[in-house]
Amino acid sequence: MDDTTAGASPPSEPNLESFSLPGWDNTVPVTHDSGITQSQILNFRGFDTWQKTLQSSLKRQKFSDHEFNADPYELKSIEIQSYDLVGRLEALPHQKRPLFIKLRAKVENAKGEDIPAVVFLRGGSVAVLIIVRPTDSLDERYVIMTEQARIPAGSLSFMEIPAGMIDPKDDSFGGTAARELEEEVGLKLKEQDLINMTELALKGHETEESLQNAMYPSPGGCDEFISIYLWEKEMDRMQIDGLRGKLGGERSEREHIRIRLLNYEKLLQVGARDGKTLAAWSLYEYLKRTRQIK
């Protein structure tokens, strides 16, 4: 039996709208449905950073030694396929801001050759490797981890180093990292207490493209870049023990986080599933070995 209601009209197609992407030499139409506005798209930091980075990279094709100089690619169009908006419960859709945007970009050369370009935009993030040493035994090292539900991974107790997305109101990546430590772990510190390990490791090895001095965990499908910081301090043993099993996270953001203390020597055994932990450990060991950090 047909489960549609008798006499009911078929679902209507969404109303599509379009605008030209500003700041480009060629016309780049951006198509989207009426549930999200041009302003929301253009003001989304993830979209803005992505399109400016891509524009800068495409412009480099004019140089004779560029691989694509003979048949340069152009951004022809963008189709916004889906999005998630966040804001106050009582806010209307146009008053909210995008959290994620999924789009399909058409990047093609004069021969009709294209580059796969389905993009999940979420913007930048930060992660912090926190290492604490008891003042009565400085040879001991403990890493502060967070355990929380990560439904995209199918987990209710995923272990990882503290991390968070860059908020639109944050002035700097270091400020974001300091805020995340206070929210997730309850540790208050100044931005200058943090060492940006990704930036330090990449110093003198910058790319000619306008990429961030950060780690890109999945560049084949996502724009996310992660700046990885270090906070290493000596602490009273009682203060360290007081962190074990502590609850953290912002309840207003429905975060339920439990703090775990892990012996540094066992970090990879427990944290190897988390790409941020692997990257942070690798950076820390490299910077220690090359004596760029004490």
Side-chain angles (χ1 to χ4, degrees):
M1 180 178 176
D2 190 348
D3 60 0
T4 58
T5 304
S9 301
S12 59
E13 292 292 325
N15 295 322
L16 295 181
E17 301 176 6
S18 182
F19 64 90
S20 293
L21 190 61
W24 286 69
D25 294 334
N26 60 308
T27 300
V28 181
V30 180
T31 305
H32 60 97
D33 68 37
S34 57
I36 188 170
T37 67
Q38 174 180 340
S39 176
Q40 286 171 311
I41 295 168
L42 294 178
N43 289 328
F44 177 40
R45 181 183 284 188
F47 180 86
D48 184 59
T49 301
W50 168 77
Q51 63 98 5
K52 286 179 178 176
T53 303
L54 177 60
Q55 184 182 50
S56 175
S57 296
L58 291 172
K59 284 183 176 180
R60 293 199 55 78
Q61 296 174 112
K62 67 183 179 183
F63 296 111
S64 59
D65 60 346
H66 196 284
E67 181 182 359
F68 301 141
N69 175 260
D71 297 295
Y73 287 88
E74 277 192 351
L75 175 61
K76 299 289 189 180
S77 63
I78 295 173
E79 175 194 356
I80 305 296
Q81 296 182 319
S82 61
Y83 46 84
D84 283 283
L85 304 177
V86 294
R88 300 186 312 276
L89 288 175
E90 66 274 15
L92 297 173
H94 72 273
Q95 296 173 322
K96 298 182 179 182
R97 63 177 178 85
L99 183 64
F100 306 121
I101 288 179
K102 178 176 175 286
L103 61 82
R104 180 184 294 275
K106 186 176 182 181
V107 180
E108 193 176 74
N109 63 15
K111 293 181 177 180
E113 299 169 333
D114 68 323
I115 300 175
V118 174
V119 186
F120 178 72
L121 294 175
R122 56 169 289 154
S125 302
V126 297
V128 187
L129 177 64
I130 308 172
I131 299 176
V132 293
R133 299 173 183 263
T135 52
D136 60 359
S137 180
L138 296 180
D139 289 336
E140 294 181 47
R141 289 182 293 179
Y142 296 95
V143 178
I144 296 178
M145 306 282 286
T146 62
E147 183 181 47
Q148 60 184 309
R150 289 301 196 192
I151 298 303
S155 173
L156 296 180
S157 55
F158 197 84
M159 291 278 283
E160 58 191 315
I161 60 175
M165 295 174 64
I166 296 170
D167 194 278
K169 65 177 181 289
D170 291 334
D171 294 327
S172 65
F173 296 167
T176 301
R179 173 176 56 79
E180 287 297 326
L181 283 185
E182 184 172 355
E183 290 179 0
E184 294 194 358
V185 185
L187 292 173
K188 293 185 179 182
L189 65 151
K190 298 177 182 179
E191 183 178 343
Q192 54 264 36
D193 294 332
L194 295 163
I195 296 174
N196 188 333
M197 293 197 292
T198 37
E199 187 175 80
L200 192 57
L202 289 168
K203 189 175 182 180
H205 303 281
E206 288 79 8
T207 174
E208 292 179 339
E209 296 184 321
S210 300
L211 297 174
Q212 302 289 327
N213 284 332
M215 183 265 289
Y216 287 76
S218 187
C222 183
D223 72 311
E224 183 185 19
F225 56 88
I226 306 175
S227 294
I228 301 176
Y229 289 82
L230 169 68
W231 189 70
E232 186 170 13
K233 293 293 178 183
E234 299 173 13
M235 293 177 65
D236 181 82
R237 186 177 292 276
M238 288 185 63
Q239 188 179 1
I240 293 174
D241 289 340
L243 292 170
R244 297 180 188 274
K246 181 179 177 181
L247 294 176
E250 282 288 295
R251 291 297 180 267
S252 62
E253 297 180 10
R254 294 169 292 177
E255 292 180 332
H256 300 276
I257 299 171
R258 189 169 294 278
I259 309 305
R260 300 297 186 192
L261 243 65
L262 194 67
N263 188 300
Y264 179 81
E265 303 306 322
K266 295 183 178 180
L267 179 59
L268 292 192
Q269 297 174 26
V270 177
R273 290 185 178 87
D274 176 39
K276 303 181 299 298
T277 299
L278 287 175
W281 174 85
S282 177
L283 286 166
Y284 178 75
E285 289 290 327
Y286 165 73
L287 293 172
K288 278 283 191 182
R289 188 174 69 252
T290 56
R291 299 184 179 181
Q292 296 185 64
I293 56 176
K294 296 180 181 180

